[in-house]
Amino acid sequence: MKKYLCLLSCLLGLTHCASTGLHKDFVIAKTALSRAKKFQADKLYPNT
């Protein structure tokens, strides 16, 4: 039983570390998109 608890805690720790970076990238992309919409970047640079 102790082996399973150790394995489970290790797996949860690894998934937590992996998901932190993805969340940060999502927040950066969301912020960039909202700023581009705020300043109407699609009208200023339509072909880029």
Side-chain angles (χ1 to χ4, degrees), residues 8-38:
L8 181 63
S9 64
C10 289
L11 289 175
L12 288 175
L14 288 175
T15 56
H16 176 69
C17 292
S19 65
T20 305
L22 295 176
H23 179 69
K24 184 178 176 183
D25 291 342
F26 177 73
V27 171
I28 292 171
K30 186 176 178 183
T31 303
L33 185 59
S34 66
R35 297 256 174 140
K37 287 181 181 179
K38 179 180 176 182

